[in-house]
Amino acid sequence: MGMNDFWKLCIKNKSVTVPAIIIVSIMLLAVFAPMITQYDETRQDLLMRLVPPQSGHIFGTDELGRDVFTRILYGTRISLSIALFPTAIAVAVGTALGILSAYFGKWADFAIMRLADIMLSIPGMLLAMVVLYTFGGSLSSVYIALVLMEWGSVARVTRAAAEGILENDYVLAARAMGVRGYAIIFRHILPNLIPSIIVLFTVNIPSSILAESALSFLGIGIQPPKVSLGLMAGTSKQFLFQMPWLSLAPAGMIMLLSLSFNFLGDALRDVLDPKRRAV
Amino acid sequence: MSNTLLEIKNLTVSVEKAGRLTAIVKGVDIKVPQGKIVGLVGESGCGKSMTAKTINGILPTAAKITDGAVLWHGNPNTETDLARLSEQKLRKLCGSQIGMVFQEPMTSLNPMMRIGSQVSEALLIHKLVQNKKEARAKTIRLLDEVGIPEPELRYRSFPHELSGGMRQRVMIAMAVICEPKLLIADEPTTALDVTIEAQILKLIKKMCDAYSMSAIVITHNMGVVAQICDYVYVMYMGRIMERTTVKRLFERPLHPYTRGLLASIPRIGKNPEYLQTIPGNIPEIGKEIVGCEFCLRCSDDERACFFEKPMEREIEEGHFVRCHTA
């Protein structure tokens, strides 16, 4: 399947376009946050504390009088950066190791896969907590924690996929023509892995978003004055019964984001997998 | 024999199955003379593809060469044993001097690569051209030569845009782009329909003549052998049962297995209700057979067939057979 066909199939498929449109609109909101809202995400207005939703403050304000809608937009920036960058790094590292494992086999395969097994045998959240306690709660340590959490499963999946590709006649044909080493990897394996990589990337994004939210909710992820959706839900949980919008609004955003990415990942898998594709 | 291009000597290939080595190619000797087409005939699983794959070292990882040599006389007076060459040197030799066409044209082209870059890949890897422009020109010329219409347009096509026959033409172009001395065609027409088969066989023959290539054509179809081969080796259960020129084989098949294969060719108008077959099945791989491998299915067996392996005998000049009764 060429790239053009891929785009055509995606555009025709509503289960791809709908979540994609939602994700793009959320991205635009986050990017253009300063133009959309007149408030500053950290500016306190102690006279306007804990006001319920009203015009000017559509999700009300928090205990320090900060506009919740503004904070959600800025929090979404962090959630999106966490959704994209650590996941991309984890997928890149995992794919590279998975391909090397499949291509070289023998001891390289053994070493890489046992390492992946070890990482996968440690509960992800526990691993993330250890990293965050060791390096302190900052954006970069959240990145490190997420990459460590995710590369193993990516490596496993790409190794299996690459092994399947290596068995194909066209790889054999290329070898018979004298192609070897990196030429095989970059020209014959990697391009045919792209569909799997796209799917792996999109299905790993929601788990990154959720992991960051959970860590920040627990107070060990993103630290104030930085704002993240999980952190907002965490700090306003004390007002859950009196002023539910304070935690429900960021929680709703987390849900919308992760569900959209989840649906997008599933839909892309269906589009890219010729066996599942409805003709 | 100074004009022998490739000589396979006593080649034994074994696969490891449950910790035990099982020979699937048993002491095969094949000679490919310069500029001739050699047919390797046998039914599925008899080891003919394995034999071919040892030549350019693309055996599956479970299979190993346990004995014998694959002697390559690429230049006169030099002899290289391909079975013992390092992977790096072997890759350098393959493609530039040995080309290969595969059975399944639908899967032997990379679906994510354009036809042109796929065909010219070997040219660039073996540095046989100065630059990409030259590679492109040569590729388009060759695509035209193997009978692909509008080669300039097709250069930018993806494999799925071509039919099976066209893809096999692309495969042939890919295999001969570096003007190799030997072309290995592993069941090149099995996946194609009969009208295309004839065209592809003609094309292989034409390319061999045009570039003075030798070829090994692997097939289970005696018709293919009759059409393009000069010499033929009949293989059964990893052993060469009969070898001679095509003319002699068709005039006077000596081995009962060869006779069975020839009788199995369906002929139009001759008792169309009944299709001649060889009775029985191939014994399971790894089963130890004391006597002749073919004895259980043979029509004219003798006592010796069951207890003693037949040795290869020369019945008439250049006509060898491995049978007690011939």
Side-chain angles (χ1 to χ4, degrees):
Chain A
M1 179 166 63
M3 267 306 166
N4 286 336
D5 298 345
F6 167 64
W7 289 119
K8 266 182 225 154
L9 276 170
C10 283
I11 289 163
K12 264 194 276 175
N13 194 326
K14 277 204 184 61
S15 48
V16 174
T17 46
V18 171
I21 287 171
I22 295 176
I23 290 166
V24 170
S25 352
I26 293 177
M27 281 179 174
L28 291 176
L29 280 179
V31 169
F32 295 109
M35 295 178 191
I36 292 161
T37 167
Q38 49 180 326
Y39 304 104
D40 191 69
E41 87 272 26
T42 50
R43 205 204 56 173
Q44 303 175 1
D45 185 352
L46 296 179
L47 294 174
M48 291 287 279
R49 293 169 57 208
L50 296 169
V51 302
Q54 51 181 254
S55 73
H57 296 291
I58 57 165
F59 291 132
T61 60
D62 68 2
E63 73 276 14
L64 294 172
R66 298 172 294 195
D67 180 49
V68 172
F69 177 68
T70 307
R71 286 174 65 72
I72 286 179
L73 290 186
Y74 283 93
T76 305
R77 280 185 167 185
I78 291 210
S79 286
L80 278 174
S81 79
I82 281 188
L84 302 175
F85 299 120
T87 317
I89 296 167
V91 169
V93 170
T95 304
L97 291 174
I99 292 178
L100 290 180
S101 201
Y103 185 76
F104 289 105
K106 294 183 191 131
W107 62 266
D109 183 29
F110 183 83
I112 293 170
M113 282 303 122
R114 291 306 79 76
L115 193 62
D117 287 344
I118 292 169
M119 298 307 279
L120 288 170
S121 68
I122 306 170
M125 283 312 269
L126 196 66
L127 185 69
M129 283 179 196
V130 170
V131 172
L132 288 172
Y133 273 119
T134 316
F135 297 110
S138 68
L139 197 59
S140 52
S141 35
V142 173
Y143 277 20
I144 294 170
L146 290 175
V147 171
L148 284 177
M149 257 172 82
E150 281 166 6
W151 77 267
S153 61
V154 174
R156 257 197 195 169
V157 175
T158 46
R159 170 180 173 262
E163 269 187 341
I165 292 169
L166 274 169
E167 277 166 24
N168 272 318
D169 281 350
Y170 57 80
V171 175
L172 215 56
R175 287 187 56 210
M177 291 314 296
V179 186
R180 62 191 195 92
Y182 296 107
I184 292 261
I185 291 179
F186 286 112
R187 261 182 290 201
H188 296 276
I189 301 178
L190 200 56
N192 287 291
L193 260 184
I194 285 175
S196 312
I197 294 173
I198 293 175
V199 173
L200 274 173
F201 183 56
T202 42
V203 298
N204 267 304
I205 283 175
S207 63
S208 295
I209 295 176
L210 292 177
E212 180 274 325
S213 302
L215 291 168
S216 302
F217 180 86
L218 294 173
I220 54 175
I222 305 295
Q223 298 298 324
K226 278 217 176 72
V227 53
S228 103
L229 297 173
L231 186 64
M232 287 175 71
T235 49
S236 48
K237 65 179 182 291
Q238 46 182 322
F239 307 110
L240 186 59
F241 293 104
Q242 296 81 18
M243 277 153 267
W245 55 85
L246 286 185
S247 31
L248 288 187
M253 191 56 150
I254 294 171
M255 201 175 81
L256 188 64
L257 260 181
S258 49
L259 274 183
S260 302
F261 275 112
N262 247 328
F263 285 139
L264 182 68
D266 276 356
L268 281 178
R269 191 199 333 246
D270 291 347
V271 169
L272 292 167
D273 185 349
K275 281 174 217 130
R276 286 172 179 229
R277 199 184 305 150
V279 181
Chain B
M1 283 263 280
S2 60
N3 61 346
T4 303
L5 179 68
L6 179 84
E7 190 176 4
I8 298 178
K9 260 188 183 163
N10 191 31
L11 180 74
T12 304
V13 177
S14 306
V15 284
E16 212 179 310
K17 200 176 155 194
R20 215 162 55 99
L21 277 180
T22 308
I24 47 170
V25 175
K26 305 163 187 166
V28 161
D29 296 297
I30 294 176
K31 265 187 196 143
V32 183
Q34 206 99 50
K36 299 285 185 197
I37 301 181
V38 172
L40 194 54
V41 199
E43 58 199 284
S44 306
C46 72
K48 49 195 197 303
S49 285
M50 284 292 173
T51 308
K53 281 175 180 173
T54 51
I55 299 170
N56 48 18
I58 52 170
L59 279 176
T61 39
K64 279 179 194 70
I65 302 171
T66 42
D67 197 14
V70 181
L71 302 175
W72 173 253
H73 304 271
N75 301 313
N77 312 323
T78 62
E79 190 176 88
T80 320
D81 186 356
L82 300 182
R84 277 169 195 77
L85 213 58
S86 73
E87 172 73 8
Q88 195 175 351
K89 282 185 180 154
L90 192 58
R91 288 293 140 250
K92 210 167 175 176
L93 197 104
C94 289
S96 62
Q97 296 198 39
I98 302 174
M100 185 153 181
V101 177
F102 287 79
Q103 174 174 357
E104 206 27 271
M106 304 315 263
T107 58
S108 21
L109 290 170
N110 183 342
M112 301 291 269
M113 247 170 122
R114 290 179 199 279
I115 299 297
S117 32
Q118 217 154 158
V119 174
S120 56
E121 188 175 23
L123 271 183
L124 295 164
I125 279 189
H126 298 295
K127 299 199 173 60
L128 296 175
V129 285
Q130 303 300 320
N131 50 41
K132 284 196 170 168
K133 210 174 143 193
E134 205 180 313
R136 187 190 141 89
K138 182 158 184 178
T139 303
I140 289 176
R141 215 181 318 129
L142 190 62
L143 285 178
D144 188 40
E145 201 175 335
V146 296
I148 288 179
E150 300 179 283
E152 261 140 66
L153 211 69
R154 290 294 159 221
Y155 186 88
R156 290 192 54 77
S157 296
F158 281 101
H160 71 270
E161 296 169 284
L162 303 184
S163 67
M166 281 297 146
R167 288 192 208 188
Q168 201 60 308
R169 286 174 193 271
V170 171
M171 279 302 292
I172 292 171
M174 214 169 123
V176 302
I177 185 85
C178 298
E179 298 176 16
K181 297 193 169 97
L182 176 69
L183 178 72
I184 303 169
D186 187 355
E187 308 230 11
T189 58
T190 307
L192 304 174
D193 63 54
V194 181
T195 46
I196 306 296
E197 172 175 305
Q199 294 174 13
I200 294 291
L201 290 177
K202 252 186 220 144
L203 175 65
I204 291 177
K205 179 95 179 144
K206 183 185 119 187
M207 296 314 272
C208 282
D209 292 343
Y211 294 97
S212 56
M213 273 189 301
S214 308
I216 297 179
V217 176
I218 296 167
T219 177
H220 57 248
N221 186 339
M222 279 292 188
V224 171
V225 172
Q227 273 184 64
I228 61 169
C229 295
D230 299 303
Y231 295 91
V232 56
Y233 288 72
V234 180
M235 214 169 162
Y236 184 76
M237 282 195 73
R239 237 180 253 288
I240 300 291
M241 289 302 189
E242 184 165 3
R243 61 187 170 98
T244 181
T245 61
V246 170
K247 194 162 174 284
R248 281 211 196 93
L249 189 91
F250 277 84
E251 274 170 4
R252 194 181 164 205
L254 290 173
H255 199 284
Y257 181 58
T258 316
R259 289 205 295 271
L261 282 181
L262 289 171
S264 306
I265 303 174
R267 286 186 179 80
I268 294 169
K270 195 181 156 195
N271 196 2
E273 310 289 308
Y274 181 71
L275 205 59
Q276 184 81 38
T277 55
I278 301 174
N281 281 314
I282 318 173
E284 198 186 323
I285 287 175
K287 205 172 152 190
E288 205 58 53
I289 295 167
V290 183
C292 171
E293 269 94 353
F294 191 60
C295 64
L296 294 172
R297 304 174 69 184
C298 193
S299 52
D300 43 350
D301 49 351
E302 285 178 6
R303 238 185 110 72
C305 297
F306 289 91
F307 300 108
E308 205 185 318
K309 284 243 185 302
M311 298 309 287
E312 195 174 67
R313 292 181 295 147
E314 189 166 7
I315 302 292
E316 55 187 326
E317 200 208 332
H319 193 162
F320 297 84
V321 66
R322 195 185 285 275
C323 181
H324 289 299
T325 59

